[in-house]
Every structure is written in C-alpha cells, then in structure tokens.
C-alpha cells in the first residue's frame, strides 16, 4: 500500500543515515557486543552527521527539527543492521532526557547543557527506577533536602540506561514527603559532583553493548541552577512526557519487528528443502502472510501516533496502546522469524539471534504491558463514567 507518511526531505535524510550506519555502525557491532560497550566516540560521529539531538534549537547546536518522523527514520535504519543497543541509547538521550531539558530548561541551562548534547560529546540518562520502586514512581526513596542555595541529594537508582557512561543524569527525587504528587522534583546531576558514584555495569540478558548501571547519591550537593522545571512539579512533568517516551519504545519495537520479518522472509526464499524453496511451503507462506499483515496494521497506528505527537495531542492512553501492542508484536515476530531460520536462527552469526535477546526487555521497561493495559482501562472507565 502506498504511504505518504514520509516526504522527499525524510527520504533524503534516510539515505544519509543509511550510509552512516553502513560505514560506522554495522561493521563494529560484533566487537562492541563482545566488549560489552559501544565505542563512545560513535556518538560524537553521529553528532557531526546531524543525527543527535534533532529537536535541539539551532542556536544551541541542534537541527531544530521538531518532527518525530526523522527520529523514526534513525530507529528504522539502526534496526535494519541489528543495532538495538545504539537505538536504546538514543531513545533515552534524544527522546527522554532532551525533551525535559528543551521544554523545562531556563535559557542559562539550555546554553550550558544543550551544545555538547547536540554534538554527541555529552550523553544523558534518566534516573527513575529504584531497587524497590519501578512503575510506582510515588514509591521512590531518593530524596533531596534544602540546604542553603541548593539541595542535598541522597538515594540510589538501578537499571539506568546509559548510566555507566552518561555525564548528565536527570534524577527524580522526593523533595516534600507531605505534598503528595507535588512533592517530587527533577535535578540534573553531572559528572564530578562529589558523592555521585556509579555502581557495577549490570550484566543483562540482551543489549550487551548498551550500558546499564546502578547509580548512588551520597550527600550530593546540587545547586539550584541544576533544578529542572519547578520545585515540586517533577512527577507532573514526567506524566506530561510519558507519551513521547512510550511512543519512542513503540517505534523502536515496530522497527525491530519489521527488520526481523525481513530477515526471515529473505532467508526462506533462499533456503531449499523438500525439493523447493522453504518459502513456498504452505505453513511458511501462511506465517509470512500473518506477520506482514500484523506489521502493516501496526505501522498504520504508529504513524498516526507520530503525527499526533507532532501536533501535540498524543494522549497517555493512546501512547500506552502503541507501546504494549508494538512491543508484544515484536516478541511474536522475532520468535517466528527465528523459527523460520531453523537451526541457523540459534547461531550468533545471524542478527535474528541477537534480536531475540535484545527485544525481550521492550515489554518491561518504560512501563510493563500490564501497566499499559491498566492505564488504558482507567481511561476507558473515566470516559464511560462521564
């Protein structure tokens, strides 16, 4: 079916991203996976290529492009070469951390923080999850107490994407235990702040070349200049930006699923069995028909959601629908594509094997599938009771 979702400018951008990915990422993936860390210089190279911080205003070194279709193109091209770890890094840096800073930052903060983040020489992380608090953010224990012209921050975070190499961490902390939902504040903690320490780099099932770490804050002195947004508005600021975060995960899941489907489809029409091509066997043909249909239908919803985000009216419930459906679809497509590869799908030399591991976290982080369904159900009940 013909699509008008992307125009000529988008496709020209895609060509540059595809060329960069083929030259600088695809040949290095196996090495980075073995070493357990993507070369940090890649992000500087991506910055020079105009692939980092697309939404950062031009006066701060960015492209000033507030059109999520360009970010989706990067996700698609990274998925095609199996670079899920790089995709995860930029999902956090570009779609989450930068959205807070651009929307909530003061002119002084933007002038200080954004230029190196646009250049890829400074990578961001967000500190929400704690050992005893994940989806229930109001259960966090990390706290900040007023002290002079700043704050003293104490607590810990875990499962932090980019946590090991990020030099800016947006930390969600409790600042007033008696204020309910208005008792939380966002702070930007930077490398070099005394008392800010990184724990171990966590050993994960997948995404081996994308670092995930524990973070510790022991009497960290955070100046007022590093408060992001208004004091007490941290939880509300997070709720307002969850649609973008969840759409980022959904878009990555769709891109990953489409790539996996393509690998499986191409493989079965190259492989022979029983005197013919595997792709001509009835069961295989039906599998391909099912997967392609589900992907096409899902893409229609994701594209509609991206346009809604661009226009400023993507709701939390609608983004939650995209997130749970696309990530669960990703699991099904990758599993079936691996099956289509037969024994070779179990071999590390085939990208489908790595995708099988890398995709598993998608239904968990950013809010589990169960949490997404609860959000949608509450929205349904709210509308029905009006």
């Amino acid at each position: 079916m013909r699509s008008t979702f992307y125009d000529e400018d988008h496709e020209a951008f895609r060509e540059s991203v595809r060329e960069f990915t083929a030259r600088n990422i695809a040949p290095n993936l196996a090495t980075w996976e073995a070493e357990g860390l993507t070369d940090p210089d890649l992000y500087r190279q991506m910055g020079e290529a105009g692939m980092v911080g697309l939404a950062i205003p031009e006066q701060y070194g960015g492209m000033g492009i507030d059109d999520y279709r360009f970010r989706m193109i990067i996700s698609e091209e990274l998925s095609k070469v199996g670079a899920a770890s790089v995709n995860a890094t930029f999902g956090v840096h570009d779609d989450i951390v930068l959205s807070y800073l651009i929307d909530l930052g003061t002119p002084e903060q933007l002038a200080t923080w954004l230029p190196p983040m646009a250049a890829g020489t400074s990578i961001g992380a967000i500190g929400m999850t704690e050992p005893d608090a994940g989806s229930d953010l109001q259960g966090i224990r990390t706290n900040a107490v007023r002290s002079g012209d700043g704050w003293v921050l104490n607590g810990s975070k875990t499962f932090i994407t980019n946590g090991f190499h990020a030099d800016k961490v947006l930390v969600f902390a409790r600042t007033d235990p008696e204020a309910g939902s208005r008792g939380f504040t966002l702070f930007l903690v930077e490398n070099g702040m005394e008392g800010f320490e990184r724990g171990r780099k966590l050993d994960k099932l997948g995404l081996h070349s994308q670092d995930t770490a524990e973070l510790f804050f022991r009497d960290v002195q955070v100046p007022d200049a590093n408060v992001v947004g208004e004091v007490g508005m941290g939880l509300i600021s997070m709720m307002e930006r969850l649609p973008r975060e969840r759409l980022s995960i959904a878009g990555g899941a769709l891109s990953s699923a489409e790539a996996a489907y393509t690998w499986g489809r191409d493989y079965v029409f190259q492989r022979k069995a029983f005197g013919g091509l595997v792709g001509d066997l009835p069961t295989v043909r039906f599998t391909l028909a099912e997967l392609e249909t589900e992907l096409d239908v899902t893409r229609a919803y994701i594209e509609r959601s991206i346009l809604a985000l661009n226009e400023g009216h993507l709701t939390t419930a609608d983004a939650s629908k995209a997130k749970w459906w696309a990530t669960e679809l990703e699991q099904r497509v990758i599993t079936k594509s691996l099956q289509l590869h037969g024994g070779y799908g179990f071999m590390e030399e085939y990208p489908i094997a790595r995708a099988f591991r890398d995709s598993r976290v998608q239904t968990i982080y950013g809010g589990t599938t169960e949490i997404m369904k609860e959000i949608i159900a509450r929205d349904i009940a709210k509308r029905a009771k009006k």
Side-chain angles (χ1 to χ4, degrees), residues 234-311:
L235 182 63
I236 294 169
S237 295
M238 282 197 159
M239 294 301 105
E240 291 173 344
R241 283 153 190 83
L242 282 176
R244 184 183 183 96
E245 175 184 348
R246 287 169 180 162
L247 182 60
S248 171
I249 298 171
L254 175 62
S255 299
S256 169
E258 288 177 335
Y261 165 73
T262 300
W263 299 332
R265 180 201 64 196
D266 292 351
Y267 180 83
V268 297
F269 283 109
Q270 296 167 2
R271 184 78 174 175
K272 291 185 177 182
F274 306 106
L277 294 172
V278 172
D280 286 329
L281 296 172
T283 55
V284 173
R285 291 159 66 93
F286 277 32
T287 296
L288 294 176
E290 292 167 1
L291 297 183
E292 186 166 300
T293 300
E294 287 189 276
L295 288 167
D296 284 350
V297 172
T298 302
R299 172 160 283 277
Y301 187 81
I302 296 296
E303 290 183 353
R304 179 180 168 189
S305 298
I306 289 173
L307 294 179
L309 179 72
N310 284 350
E311 295 165 2

Side-chain angles (χ1 to χ4, degrees), residues 19-161:
E19 290 174 8
F20 180 93
T21 301
R23 182 173 62 254
N24 298 289
I25 297 179
N28 298 308
L29 286 175
T31 299
W32 295 338
E33 285 286 298
E35 294 176 349
L37 188 67
T38 298
D39 182 358
D41 194 51
L42 171 68
Y43 310 128
R44 178 193 59 78
Q45 295 171 7
M46 293 180 75
E48 291 179 349
M51 294 168 58
V52 181
L54 298 179
I56 293 177
E58 292 184 46
Q59 66 262 40
Y60 303 121
M63 302 292 287
I65 299 174
D66 194 18
D67 177 354
Y68 198 80
R69 286 175 290 183
F70 286 94
R71 272 288 297 126
M72 186 65 180
I73 286 170
I74 294 176
S75 179
E76 289 168 355
E77 295 305 313
L78 290 174
S79 293
K80 287 175 184 176
V81 299
S85 290
V86 179
N87 235 346
T89 293
F90 280 93
V92 171
H93 178 78
D94 269 44
D95 298 334
I96 302 178
V97 178
L98 282 175
S99 70
Y100 285 92
L101 300 186
I102 293 171
D103 292 348
L104 304 175
T106 65
E108 294 78 13
Q109 289 173 336
L110 300 182
T112 301
W113 295 335
L114 294 189
M117 298 184 82
T121 57
S122 175
I123 297 298
I126 187 163
M128 292 190 288
T129 303
E130 297 183 3
D132 296 318
S135 298
D136 180 15
L137 289 177
Q138 295 198 55
I140 68 162
R141 297 183 180 180
T142 297
N143 66 89
V145 178
R146 258 290 179 196
S147 177
D149 60 353
W151 301 79
V152 177
L153 179 69
N154 281 282
S156 64
K157 302 291 182 179
T158 193
F159 306 144
I160 305 305
T161 300

